Coordinates of all heavy atoms in Angstrom, one line a residue:
H479 N 22.2 -3.4 12.1 CA 23.1 -4.0 13.2 C 24.4 -3.9 12.9 O 24.9 -4.1 11.7 CB 22.6 -5.5 13.3 CG 23.1 -6.2 14.5 ND1 24.4 -6.7 14.7 CD2 22.5 -6.4 15.7 CE1 24.6 -7.1 15.9 NE2 23.3 -7.0 16.6
E480 N 25.3 -3.7 13.9 CA 26.7 -3.5 13.7 C 27.4 -4.7 13.0 O 28.5 -4.4 12.5 CB 27.3 -3.2 15.1 CG 27.3 -4.4 16.1 CD 27.8 -4.0 17.4 OE1 28.2 -2.8 17.7 OE2 27.8 -4.9 18.4
R481 N 26.9 -5.9 13.2 CA 27.6 -7.0 12.5 C 27.1 -7.4 11.1 O 27.4 -8.4 10.4 CB 27.5 -8.2 13.5 CG 28.3 -8.1 14.7 CD 28.4 -9.5 15.5 NE 27.1 -10.1 15.5 CZ 26.4 -10.2 16.7 NH1 26.7 -9.6 17.7 NH2 25.2 -10.9 16.7
S482 N 26.2 -6.5 10.6 CA 25.5 -6.7 9.3 C 26.5 -6.7 8.1 O 27.4 -5.7 8.1 CB 24.5 -5.7 9.1 OG 24.0 -5.7 7.8
S483 N 26.6 -7.6 7.2 CA 27.4 -7.5 6.1 C 26.9 -6.3 5.2 O 27.7 -5.8 4.4 CB 27.5 -8.8 5.3 OG 26.2 -9.3 4.9
T484 N 25.6 -6.1 5.1 CA 25.0 -5.0 4.4 C 25.7 -3.7 4.9 O 26.0 -2.8 4.2 CB 23.6 -5.0 4.4 OG1 23.1 -6.3 3.8 CG2 23.0 -3.9 3.6
L485 N 25.7 -3.6 6.2 CA 26.3 -2.3 6.8 C 27.8 -2.2 6.4 O 28.2 -1.1 6.0 CB 26.2 -2.3 8.3 CG 26.9 -1.2 9.1 CD1 26.3 0.2 8.7 CD2 26.9 -1.4 10.5
A486 N 28.5 -3.3 6.4 CA 30.0 -3.2 6.0 C 30.0 -2.8 4.6 O 31.0 -2.0 4.2 CB 30.6 -4.5 6.3
A487 N 29.1 -3.3 3.7 CA 29.2 -2.9 2.3 C 28.8 -1.4 2.1 O 29.4 -0.8 1.2 CB 28.2 -3.8 1.5
I488 N 27.8 -1.0 2.9 CA 27.5 0.4 2.9 C 28.7 1.3 3.2 O 28.9 2.4 2.6 CB 26.2 0.8 3.6 CG1 24.9 0.1 3.1 CG2 26.1 2.2 3.9 CD1 23.7 0.2 4.0
Q489 N 29.4 0.9 4.3 CA 30.5 1.7 4.7 C 31.6 1.8 3.7 O 32.3 2.8 3.4 CB 31.0 1.1 6.0 CG 30.1 1.3 7.1 CD 30.5 0.4 8.3 OE1 31.1 -0.6 8.3 NE2 30.2 1.0 9.6
H490 N 31.7 0.7 2.9 CA 32.7 0.6 1.8 C 32.3 1.5 0.6 O 32.9 2.3 0.1 CB 33.0 -0.8 1.3 CG 33.8 -0.9 0.1 ND1 35.1 -0.6 0.1 CD2 33.5 -1.1 -1.2 CE1 35.7 -0.7 -1.2 NE2 34.6 -1.0 -1.9
S491 N 31.0 1.2 0.2 CA 30.5 1.9 -1.1 C 30.2 3.4 -0.8 O 30.3 4.2 -1.8 CB 29.2 1.3 -1.7 OG 28.1 1.5 -0.7
G492 N 29.8 3.8 0.3 CA 29.3 5.2 0.6 C 28.0 5.5 0.1 O 27.6 6.7 0.1
S493 N 27.2 4.5 -0.3 CA 25.9 4.7 -0.8 C 25.0 3.6 -0.5 O 25.5 2.4 -0.3 CB 25.9 5.1 -2.3 OG 26.4 3.9 -3.1
F494 N 23.7 3.7 -0.5 CA 22.6 2.7 -0.4 C 21.3 3.2 -0.9 O 21.2 4.3 -1.3 CB 22.6 2.4 1.1 CG 22.0 3.4 2.0 CD1 20.7 3.6 2.4 CD2 22.8 4.5 2.5 CE1 20.3 4.5 3.2 CE2 22.6 5.5 3.4 CZ 21.2 5.5 3.7
A495 N 20.4 2.2 -1.0 CA 19.1 2.5 -1.5 C 18.1 2.0 -0.4 O 18.4 1.0 0.3 CB 18.8 1.9 -2.9
V496 N 17.0 2.7 -0.3 CA 16.0 2.2 0.5 C 14.7 1.9 -0.4 O 14.2 2.9 -1.0 CB 15.5 3.3 1.7 CG1 14.3 2.8 2.4 CG2 16.7 3.5 2.5
N497 N 14.3 0.7 -0.3 CA 13.2 0.2 -1.2 C 12.0 0.1 -0.2 O 12.0 -0.7 0.8 CB 13.5 -1.2 -1.7 CG 14.6 -1.1 -2.8 OD1 14.3 -0.9 -3.9 ND2 15.8 -1.3 -2.3
I498 N 10.9 0.9 -0.4 CA 9.7 0.8 0.4 C 8.8 -0.2 -0.1 O 8.3 0.1 -1.1 CB 9.1 2.1 0.7 CG1 10.1 3.2 1.2 CG2 7.8 2.1 1.5 CD1 9.7 4.6 1.2
L499 N 8.6 -1.4 0.6 CA 7.9 -2.5 0.0 C 6.4 -2.2 -0.1 O 5.9 -1.6 0.8 CB 8.1 -3.7 0.7 CG 9.6 -4.2 0.8 CD1 9.7 -5.6 1.5 CD2 10.1 -4.4 -0.7
A500 N 5.8 -2.8 -1.2 CA 4.3 -2.7 -1.4 C 3.7 -3.8 -0.6 O 4.3 -4.8 -0.3 CB 4.1 -2.8 -2.9
A501 N 2.3 -3.6 -0.4 CA 1.6 -4.6 0.3 C 1.6 -5.9 -0.6 O 1.8 -5.9 -1.8 CB 0.1 -4.2 0.3
G502 N 1.6 -7.1 0.1 CA 1.7 -8.4 -0.6 C 3.1 -8.8 -0.9 O 3.3 -9.8 -1.6
T503 N 4.1 -8.1 -0.3 CA 5.6 -8.6 -0.6 C 6.1 -9.2 0.7 O 7.4 -9.1 0.9 CB 6.4 -7.4 -1.1 OG1 6.3 -6.3 -0.1 CG2 5.8 -7.0 -2.4
A504 N 5.3 -9.6 1.6 CA 5.9 -10.2 2.9 C 6.9 -11.2 2.7 O 8.0 -11.4 3.4 CB 4.9 -10.7 3.8
D505 N 6.8 -12.0 1.6 CA 7.8 -13.2 1.3 C 9.1 -12.6 1.0 O 10.1 -13.2 1.5 CB 7.3 -14.0 0.1 CG 6.2 -15.0 0.5 OD1 5.9 -15.1 1.7 OD2 5.5 -15.5 -0.4
I506 N 9.2 -11.5 0.3 CA 10.5 -10.8 0.0 C 11.1 -10.3 1.3 O 12.3 -10.4 1.6 CB 10.4 -9.7 -1.0 CG1 9.9 -10.3 -2.4 CG2 11.6 -8.9 -1.2 CD1 9.5 -9.3 -3.4
A507 N 10.2 -9.7 2.1 CA 10.7 -9.1 3.4 C 11.2 -10.2 4.3 O 12.3 -10.0 4.9 CB 9.5 -8.4 4.2
R508 N 10.5 -11.3 4.3 CA 11.0 -12.5 5.2 C 12.3 -13.0 4.6 O 13.3 -13.3 5.4 CB 10.1 -13.6 5.1 CG 8.9 -13.4 6.0 CD 7.9 -14.7 6.2 NE 6.6 -14.3 6.8 CZ 5.6 -13.8 6.0 NH1 5.6 -13.9 4.7 NH2 4.5 -13.4 6.7
T509 N 12.5 -13.1 3.4 CA 13.8 -13.6 2.7 C 14.9 -12.7 3.1 O 16.0 -13.2 3.6 CB 13.7 -13.7 1.2 OG1 12.6 -14.7 0.9 CG2 15.0 -14.1 0.5
F510 N 14.7 -11.5 3.1 CA 15.9 -10.5 3.3 C 16.0 -10.2 4.9 O 17.0 -9.8 5.2 CB 15.6 -9.2 2.5 CG 16.0 -9.2 1.2 CD1 15.2 -9.8 0.2 CD2 17.2 -8.7 0.8 CE1 15.6 -9.8 -1.1 CE2 17.6 -8.8 -0.5 CZ 16.9 -9.3 -1.5
A511 N 15.1 -10.8 5.7 CA 15.3 -10.8 7.1 C 15.9 -12.0 7.6 O 16.3 -12.2 8.7 CB 13.9 -10.6 7.7
S512 N 16.1 -13.0 6.7 CA 16.6 -14.3 7.1 C 18.1 -14.4 6.7 O 18.7 -13.5 6.0 CB 16.0 -15.5 6.3 OG 16.4 -15.5 4.9
P513 N 18.9 -15.5 7.2 CA 20.3 -15.6 6.9 C 20.5 -16.3 5.5 O 21.6 -16.7 5.2 CB 20.8 -16.4 8.0 CG 19.6 -17.3 8.5 CD 18.4 -16.4 8.2
V514 N 19.6 -16.3 4.7 CA 19.8 -17.0 3.4 C 20.9 -16.3 2.5 O 20.8 -15.0 2.5 CB 18.4 -16.9 2.6 CG1 18.6 -17.4 1.2 CG2 17.4 -17.6 3.2
P515 N 21.8 -17.0 2.1 CA 23.0 -16.3 1.5 C 22.6 -15.7 0.1 O 23.1 -14.7 -0.3 CB 24.0 -17.3 1.2 CG 23.3 -18.7 1.4 CD 22.0 -18.4 2.2
E516 N 21.7 -16.3 -0.7 CA 21.4 -15.9 -2.0 C 20.0 -15.2 -2.0 O 19.1 -15.5 -2.6 CB 21.3 -17.0 -3.0 CG 22.7 -17.7 -3.2 CD 23.8 -16.8 -3.8 OE1 23.4 -15.9 -4.7 OE2 24.9 -16.9 -3.4
R517 N 20.0 -14.0 -1.2 CA 18.7 -13.3 -1.1 C 18.1 -12.8 -2.3 O 17.0 -12.6 -2.5 CB 18.8 -12.1 0.0 CG 19.2 -12.7 1.3 CD 19.5 -11.4 2.3 NE 19.8 -11.9 3.6 CZ 20.4 -11.3 4.5 NH1 20.6 -10.0 4.3 NH2 20.6 -11.8 5.7
F518 N 19.0 -12.4 -3.3 CA 18.5 -11.7 -4.4 C 18.0 -12.7 -5.5 O 17.4 -12.2 -6.5 CB 19.6 -10.8 -5.0 CG 19.9 -9.6 -4.2 CD1 20.7 -9.6 -3.2 CD2 19.2 -8.3 -4.6 CE1 20.8 -8.4 -2.4 CE2 19.3 -7.2 -3.8 CZ 20.2 -7.3 -2.7
A519 N 18.3 -14.0 -5.4 CA 17.9 -15.0 -6.4 C 16.4 -15.0 -6.5 O 15.7 -15.0 -5.5 CB 18.4 -16.3 -6.0
G520 N 15.9 -14.8 -7.8 CA 14.5 -14.9 -8.0 C 13.8 -13.6 -7.7 O 12.5 -13.6 -7.7
T521 N 14.5 -12.6 -7.4 CA 13.8 -11.2 -7.2 C 13.9 -10.4 -8.5 O 14.9 -10.6 -9.2 CB 14.4 -10.5 -6.0 OG1 15.7 -10.3 -6.2 CG2 14.2 -11.3 -4.7
N522 N 13.0 -9.5 -8.6 CA 13.0 -8.5 -9.7 C 13.6 -7.2 -9.3 O 13.0 -6.6 -8.5 CB 11.6 -8.3 -10.3 CG 11.0 -9.6 -10.9 OD1 11.7 -10.3 -11.5 ND2 9.7 -9.8 -10.7
W523 N 14.9 -7.0 -9.6 CA 15.5 -5.7 -9.2 C 16.4 -5.2 -10.4 O 16.7 -5.9 -11.4 CB 16.4 -6.0 -8.0 CG 17.5 -6.9 -8.1 CD1 17.5 -8.2 -8.0 CD2 18.9 -6.5 -8.5 NE1 18.7 -8.7 -8.2 CE2 19.6 -7.7 -8.5 CE3 19.6 -5.3 -8.8 CZ2 20.9 -7.8 -8.8 CZ3 20.9 -5.3 -9.1 CH2 21.6 -6.5 -9.1
Y524 N 16.8 -4.0 -10.3 CA 17.5 -3.4 -11.3 C 18.5 -2.3 -10.6 O 18.2 -2.0 -9.4 CB 16.7 -2.7 -12.4 CG 15.7 -1.6 -11.8 CD1 16.2 -0.3 -11.8 CD2 14.5 -2.0 -11.4 CE1 15.2 0.7 -11.3 CE2 13.6 -1.1 -10.8 CZ 14.0 0.3 -10.8 OH 13.1 1.1 -10.3
P525 N 19.7 -2.0 -11.2 CA 20.6 -1.1 -10.6 C 20.1 0.3 -10.6 O 19.5 0.8 -11.5 CB 21.9 -1.2 -11.4 CG 21.5 -1.8 -12.7 CD 20.2 -2.6 -12.5
G526 N 20.3 1.0 -9.3 CA 19.9 2.3 -9.3 C 20.6 3.2 -10.2 O 21.8 3.1 -10.3
P527 N 20.0 4.2 -10.8 CA 20.6 5.0 -11.9 C 21.8 5.9 -11.3 O 22.7 6.3 -11.9 CB 19.6 5.9 -12.4 CG 18.4 5.8 -11.5 CD 18.6 4.5 -10.8
R528 N 21.8 6.3 -10.0 CA 22.8 7.2 -9.3 C 23.8 6.3 -8.5 O 25.0 6.7 -8.6 CB 22.1 8.1 -8.5 CG 21.3 9.1 -9.2 CD 22.0 10.1 -10.0 NE 23.1 11.0 -9.4 CZ 22.9 12.0 -8.7 NH1 21.7 12.6 -8.5 NH2 24.0 12.6 -8.2
T529 N 23.3 5.3 -7.8 CA 24.2 4.6 -6.8 C 24.5 3.3 -7.3 O 25.5 2.6 -6.7 CB 23.6 4.6 -5.4 OG1 22.4 3.9 -5.5 CG2 23.3 6.0 -5.0
D530 N 23.9 2.6 -8.2 CA 24.0 1.2 -8.7 C 23.5 0.3 -7.6 O 23.5 -0.9 -7.7 CB 25.5 0.9 -8.9 CG 25.6 -0.3 -9.8 OD1 24.7 -0.4 -10.8 OD2 26.6 -1.0 -9.7
A531 N 23.0 0.8 -6.5 CA 22.3 0.0 -5.5 C 21.1 -0.6 -6.0 O 20.4 -0.1 -6.8 CB 22.1 0.7 -4.3
P532 N 20.8 -2.0 -5.7 CA 19.6 -2.6 -6.2 C 18.3 -1.9 -5.8 O 18.1 -1.6 -4.6 CB 19.7 -4.0 -5.5 CG 21.1 -4.1 -5.3 CD 21.6 -2.9 -4.9
L533 N 17.5 -1.8 -6.8 CA 16.1 -1.3 -6.6 C 15.1 -2.4 -7.0 O 15.3 -3.0 -8.0 CB 15.8 0.0 -7.5 CG 16.8 1.2 -7.2 CD1 16.6 2.3 -8.2 CD2 16.7 1.7 -5.7
F534 N 14.0 -2.5 -6.2 CA 13.1 -3.6 -6.5 C 12.0 -3.1 -7.2 O 11.5 -1.9 -7.1 CB 12.6 -4.2 -5.1 CG 13.7 -5.0 -4.6 CD1 14.5 -4.5 -3.5 CD2 13.9 -6.4 -4.9 CE1 15.6 -5.2 -3.0 CE2 14.9 -7.0 -4.3 CZ 15.7 -6.5 -3.3
E535 N 11.3 -3.9 -8.0 CA 10.1 -3.6 -8.8 C 8.9 -3.5 -7.9 O 7.9 -2.7 -8.1 CB 9.9 -4.5 -10.0 CG 10.9 -4.4 -10.9 CD 10.8 -5.2 -12.1 OE1 9.7 -5.9 -12.2 OE2 11.6 -5.2 -13.1
D536 N 8.8 -4.4 -6.8 CA 7.6 -4.5 -5.9 C 7.8 -3.5 -4.8 O 7.7 -3.8 -3.7 CB 7.5 -5.9 -5.4 CG 7.2 -6.9 -6.5 OD1 6.5 -6.5 -7.5 OD2 7.7 -8.0 -6.4
T537 N 7.7 -2.2 -5.2 CA 8.0 -1.1 -4.1 C 6.7 0.0 -4.4 O 6.2 0.1 -5.5 CB 9.2 -0.4 -4.2 OG1 9.4 0.2 -5.4 CG2 10.4 -1.4 -3.9
V538 N 6.5 0.7 -3.3 CA 5.6 1.9 -3.5 C 6.6 3.2 -3.8 O 6.0 4.2 -4.3 CB 4.7 2.2 -2.4 CG1 3.7 1.0 -2.2 CG2 5.5 2.4 -1.0
A539 N 7.8 3.0 -3.4 CA 8.8 4.1 -3.6 C 10.1 3.5 -3.2 O 10.4 2.6 -2.7 CB 8.5 5.3 -2.7
W540 N 11.2 4.3 -3.8 CA 12.6 4.0 -3.4 C 13.4 5.3 -3.3 O 12.9 6.4 -3.9 CB 13.3 3.1 -4.4 CG 13.1 3.4 -5.9 CD1 12.3 2.8 -6.8 CD2 13.9 4.4 -6.6 NE1 12.6 3.3 -8.0 CE2 13.5 4.2 -8.0 CE3 14.9 5.3 -6.2 CZ2 14.1 5.1 -9.0 CZ3 15.5 6.1 -7.2 CH2 15.1 5.9 -8.6
A541 N 14.5 5.3 -2.6 CA 15.4 6.4 -2.4 C 16.8 5.9 -2.6 O 17.1 4.9 -1.8 CB 15.1 7.0 -1.2
E542 N 17.6 6.6 -3.4 CA 19.0 6.3 -3.4 C 19.8 7.4 -2.5 O 19.4 8.6 -2.6 CB 19.6 6.5 -4.9 CG 19.1 5.4 -5.7 CD 19.7 5.4 -7.1 OE1 19.2 6.2 -8.0 OE2 20.7 4.8 -7.4
C543 N 20.6 7.0 -1.8 CA 21.3 7.9 -0.8 C 22.8 7.7 -0.8 O 23.4 6.7 -1.0 CB 20.8 7.4 0.6 SG 19.1 7.6 0.9
A544 N 23.4 8.9 -0.5 CA 24.8 9.0 -0.3 C 25.0 9.1 1.2 O 24.3 9.9 1.8 CB 25.5 10.3 -1.0
V545 N 25.9 8.3 1.7 CA 26.1 8.3 3.2 C 26.7 9.6 3.7 O 27.7 10.1 3.1 CB 27.1 7.2 3.6 CG1 27.5 7.2 5.2 CG2 26.5 5.8 3.3

Side-chain angles (χ1 to χ4, degrees):
H479 196 280
E480 65 189 359
R481 292 190 315 253
S482 164
S483 61
T484 301
L485 174 61
I488 288 170
Q489 291 167 330
H490 171 74
S491 70
S493 63
F494 63 97
V496 174
N497 294 272
I498 303 170
L499 295 183
T503 60
D505 287 344
I506 295 170
R508 282 187 198 94
T509 297
F510 278 81
S512 74
V514 175
E516 298 296 324
R517 294 175 181 166
F518 286 86
T521 61
N522 295 320
W523 65 274
Y524 56 96
R528 296 289 307 273
T529 65
D530 203 35
L533 301 175
F534 290 93
E535 292 181 5
D536 295 327
T537 62
V538 295
W540 52 256
E542 289 184 281
C543 299
V545 174

